[in-house]
Amino acid sequence: MRKKKKDSFQKKAWKNGNEARFEQMVAEYHTAKAALEAMTAGTPEHEAQKKLCDTLFAGAERFFKQHQ
């Protein structure tokens, strides 16, 4: 039985959508990481930014593993 071309297009659209979302997550992580490096270590703001960076990284990693 032949595959319909419709299914192929839907899979490509899904893949492209996930790639765009992952790129957005990575970009958000990089901006947060740059802000973290500009802060002085030991301050409460630095700790909060570090926690945010860790959370963003974990979320991107989880998303990547789910959509490989």
Side-chain angles (χ1 to χ4, degrees):
M1 191 168 148
R2 285 183 145 186
K3 276 189 168 181
K4 295 180 182 179
K5 289 188 177 190
K6 178 181 164 187
D7 293 336
S8 174
F9 290 126
Q10 286 178 345
K11 286 181 183 178
K12 286 182 182 178
W14 176 253
K15 182 179 177 185
N16 291 337
N18 284 336
E19 287 176 358
R21 186 167 174 212
F22 182 69
E23 287 175 6
Q24 178 188 7
M25 294 172 89
V26 170
E28 187 177 348
Y29 169 74
H30 284 295
T31 56
K33 188 71 170 178
L36 176 67
E37 291 174 0
M39 295 179 175
T40 56
T43 61
E45 294 85 14
H46 182 270
E47 295 301 319
Q49 188 69 20
K50 185 175 188 236
K51 185 176 179 180
L52 175 68
C53 287
D54 293 342
T55 303
L56 290 172
F57 183 81
E61 187 177 34
R62 195 173 328 113
F63 182 85
F64 180 75
K65 286 181 180 178
Q66 287 177 350
H67 296 95
Q68 255 182 330

